[in-house]
Amino acid sequence: MSEKNERRPLPDPASAELRGLISDAETRAVYDVLYQAREEPLAMPAIRERVSALTGKSNLQMDRRLRSLRTHFDVPARRVPEKRNLFVYPLLGWNPDADKRTTRKNIPGSVRALVHHTYGNRCAACGRTPKDDQVKLVIDHMVPLDLGGTNDPENLQLLCDEDNHDKQALFADHQENADALRKSLSLPEVHLRIGELLKAMAGEDVPKELIVLVAREENNGDPTKRMRELRSLGWIIKNSQRKKGRRVLSFYRLEHWEPWPPGGPQAAVVRLERARRRAKRAQKAPSGTDLRSTAVE
Ligand SMILES: [Zn+2]
């Protein structure tokens, strides 16, 4: 760790120094927002909103931009007390050593303690505890380090030995899909991430756990809902279940896919939902003529 780096003042958002470090204007806008909010760090929705206001663009790839900022600057995710899934992102200074984030042994004790506290000393998968169930808990990287996961607290969870073992076995079984997983994880929208993984593994049974991994949504997301949304875009995805030991495993198999709609899948899904709601309202409140014609039929 370099002392010099820690004391070096942060560059002004409009400075040539920052432009020299970061060529992408949107990433500099993220820096600008974090820089202005140093005293009172913001959560992601507020950051996104302000960056959109600065750049005039929505649909920004915030995860990727934050990752690229973190190669230069120290921007930890801090959990808001009492709110398990809310994080604020303080811009603390220069990143003293970017490489430190990416090895398992460098999870600081304070972060380990935080993870144990957040998960109430329970396995995130089965809910068992050392006290009641005599299980041993380990800290797990939700996105594994070799797939680009970090030691940031939002990527860490507690798993019991057994669930941790199952997860490692799952990734060992899918070694050949590592590139597809890495590529999916780098995409900006949840439907793209899930859809591109399904495409890369088309015709194979893709375990739900891999879908949850690339979805990168809070509380393991809602894979059933995401599959429904992809189906609404014309995709054919078969779901199957298989029993394995004490649990039921769920798989998704892609049988047909459609090109991504212009403007991206997220916007298309929102449009479809809006149209469906309008159609429902029209059905509920028919005009007098409609009533009569229905009665005649
Ligand atoms: Zn467990």
Side-chain angles (χ1 to χ4, degrees), residues 123 125-128 159-160 163 246:
C123 171
C126 66
R128 292 185 296 174
L159 287 183
C160 69
D163 280 307
R246 66 191 162 96

